[in-house]
Amino acid sequence: MKTIKQFFKFGITGVINNIIALTVYYIVVFINAKWYLFGNILGFIVSVFNAYIMNSRFVFKEKKEDNSKKQIIKTYTLYTVNLLLSLWILYISVEYFHISEKIAPFISLSITVPINFLANKIWVYKDI
């Protein structure tokens, strides 16, 4: 039951983070559609700190201050790996499958969100 509640909260947090990331992404793509990879990176940079704050305080309810340095390093590591996976999926979707750069982020999200939740639960916040 705890995991289900956490996944639900993670989903809410993820929606907020993705709104932030996608807003940045679409602003960049609106300026120049060829900059879609840059837009994805910039959206990542803007949203990852928000993800750390929301996951540590709302989803997994971290209370130990001594873990925060370790967890922020793990968070940035995880989200960097997640970004690389997302960029790869985005690139393959647009360049090889000719999916619109406006639709491709949703394909990427459908793969990376479940992976991200599990990695947060079993690696970043495993001590909680």
Side-chain angles (χ1 to χ4, degrees):
M1 187 66 151
K2 179 180 176 182
T3 300
I4 293 170
K5 286 181 184 179
Q6 286 175 332
F7 188 73
F8 180 73
K9 289 180 178 181
F10 186 82
I12 292 169
T13 299
V15 167
I16 293 167
N17 291 330
N18 284 305
I19 288 171
I20 292 168
L22 288 172
T23 298
V24 172
Y25 174 83
Y26 284 121
I27 288 169
V28 171
V29 168
F30 177 76
I31 293 168
N32 187 336
K34 292 181 181 183
W35 295 351
Y36 67 92
L37 293 176
F38 170 72
N40 198 49
I41 293 168
L42 189 59
F44 165 81
I45 292 168
V46 172
S47 67
V48 75
F49 188 71
N50 184 62
Y52 166 72
I53 296 296
M54 292 188 75
N55 284 335
S56 65
R57 302 231 163 63
F58 175 63
V59 178
F60 299 104
K61 296 188 180 178
E62 169 58 31
K63 294 177 181 139
K64 300 175 190 172
E65 291 299 319
D66 57 330
N67 281 342
S68 60
K69 287 181 187 176
K70 181 171 74 170
Q71 287 174 336
I72 199 161
I73 290 168
K74 285 182 174 183
T75 297
Y76 275 94
T77 301
L78 172 60
Y79 278 83
T80 298
V81 170
N82 197 48
L83 170 66
L84 295 174
L85 177 59
S86 175
L87 286 171
W88 180 75
I89 294 167
L90 188 63
Y91 180 79
I92 296 297
S93 297
V94 172
E95 299 299 329
Y96 290 98
F97 292 107
H98 307 290
I99 296 169
S100 166
E101 64 276 348
K102 293 173 180 71
I103 303 295
F106 295 101
I107 295 168
S108 176
L109 289 172
S110 70
I111 297 167
T112 59
V113 168
I115 293 170
N116 197 12
F117 172 75
L118 290 173
N120 268 289
K121 180 154 182 69
I122 65 175
W123 184 55
V124 178
Y125 297 101
K126 72 177 181 174
D127 298 328
I128 297 176

